[in-house]
Amino acid sequence: MLVLTGNIVPERTDHYCDNARYHGDGLPQAMNLLPPGVESRWRWRNTGDFTDSTHYQLSLALVAKVAEEAFDLDPARVHFPVRYYDQSSPEVIDTLTALRRELITGGPGGRLCAESLANVLVVQLIRHMSNRQGSNSGIRGLGGRLSRHTLRAVEEYIHAHLDQNIPLADLANVAQLSEFHFARLFKQTTGLPPHQFVIHQRVERAKGLIAEGRLSLAQIAIDVGFSDQSQLNRHFKRLVGVTPKRFA
């Protein structure tokens, strides 16, 4: 949870969070950051009109998505410390202010704008306020390749569904990654984008079926997942160097 203070702040604040205590005056246009899973209790004195503060709750799924896709980080290793009346990052303050304004007065396209600002906010929080900053332990990235186990599971899925349409979302789901992150890691692991890898596998299976000599080329095209024989011919010649008929 994030709390952005406005121009009116309490004279005195007692805050207990995760066995730590903050005691002091509030600051205007400052941010309080409360990580998930910790107990938090607040007490204000002489608050006056404290209604111009804004409370935000960020989805853990959004934080994980941005950590994975924008930073190549394992979301389980992204942690944020408790921060009280923090003014160290003007970028975060400006984005919180813009998000507040959009949520209250946004016009057409307001939802898309708010979602975009939320993504920018998480990028800024990870960049400036997560424990990857100035920490020797840091946050370890997921690395640039799929694990052997994950790659084998994806290949088995492709081979089992080669005669069908195979959406990228299905392959990403097998790997338990977002589509963006999966596509990038898959290419770095195999040297091919997922859709090109599928085409290569279809051509390889077609070569085997042609060598058997039991099916027509039109039937083979359908059985390996191409829409028709002309599509088989085009990809086969591009990858093998000859047409299926010459190969036979």
Side-chain angles (χ1 to χ4, degrees):
M1 185 173 74
L2 300 168
V3 180
L4 176 66
T5 59
N7 295 317
I8 303 173
V9 295
E11 294 180 8
R12 216 66 176 156
T13 298
D14 286 322
H15 179 207
Y16 299 88
C17 185
D18 202 23
N19 297 320
R21 180 184 180 186
Y22 172 86
H23 181 72
D25 292 334
L27 293 174
Q29 297 300 312
M31 183 202 71
N32 297 279
L33 190 156
L34 309 176
V38 297
E39 182 182 0
S40 175
R41 290 179 291 157
W42 293 76
R43 182 172 62 185
W44 295 285
R45 299 173 188 167
N46 303 322
T47 59
D49 185 4
F50 195 38
T51 58
D52 63 343
S53 67
T54 309
H55 293 65
Y56 308 82
Q57 285 187 309
L58 286 177
S59 161
L60 292 180
L62 174 61
V63 175
K65 181 175 183 290
V66 173
E68 182 181 279
E69 296 184 357
F71 293 89
D72 192 22
L73 296 176
D74 181 350
R77 292 179 174 269
V78 177
H79 304 290
F80 297 96
V82 177
R83 290 181 180 257
Y84 306 106
Y85 295 104
D86 192 294
Q87 295 177 320
S88 64
S89 177
E91 297 94 336
V92 172
I93 300 297
D94 289 345
T95 302
L96 284 169
T97 302
L99 182 55
R100 178 183 189 274
R101 183 168 55 247
E102 188 59 42
L103 291 172
I104 293 175
T105 63
R111 180 180 179 86
L112 178 60
C113 183
E115 290 176 351
S116 299
L117 285 169
N119 278 277
V120 170
L121 174 62
V122 176
V123 167
Q124 293 171 339
L125 289 174
I126 294 175
R127 184 182 289 169
H128 300 297
M129 296 188 173
S130 74
N131 62 356
R132 70 191 291 264
Q133 298 294 321
S135 171
N136 290 330
S137 58
I139 303 177
R140 188 162 51 115
L142 290 173
R145 298 171 65 87
L146 295 173
S147 69
R148 195 176 307 173
H149 170 77
T150 300
L151 180 60
R152 183 167 60 249
V154 171
E155 289 177 338
E156 290 175 353
Y157 183 90
I158 290 173
H159 293 153
H161 300 82
L162 203 56
D163 61 334
Q164 305 169 25
N165 179 44
I166 304 177
L168 178 62
D170 289 357
L171 300 180
N173 186 57
V174 172
Q176 297 183 339
L177 294 169
S178 68
E179 293 180 34
F180 174 89
H181 199 55
F182 167 76
R184 186 170 62 81
L185 291 184
F186 188 89
K187 184 176 181 180
Q188 291 178 193
T189 304
T190 66
L192 292 170
H195 72 282
Q196 286 294 337
F197 183 87
V198 170
I199 289 173
H200 276 67
Q201 299 308 304
R202 286 175 171 154
V203 169
E204 285 300 311
R205 182 171 293 183
K207 287 167 64 177
L209 293 175
I210 292 171
E212 292 177 3
R214 296 186 297 106
L215 300 173
S216 68
L217 292 178
Q219 186 60 51
I220 289 174
I222 300 301
D223 287 354
V224 301
F226 289 119
S227 58
D228 52 37
Q229 185 176 339
S230 64
Q231 190 180 48
L232 167 64
N233 290 343
R234 183 170 70 254
H235 289 298
F236 197 98
K237 184 173 183 179
R238 176 173 63 88
L239 296 177
V240 181
V242 297
T243 64
K245 185 175 294 187
R246 289 286 304 271
F247 180 82

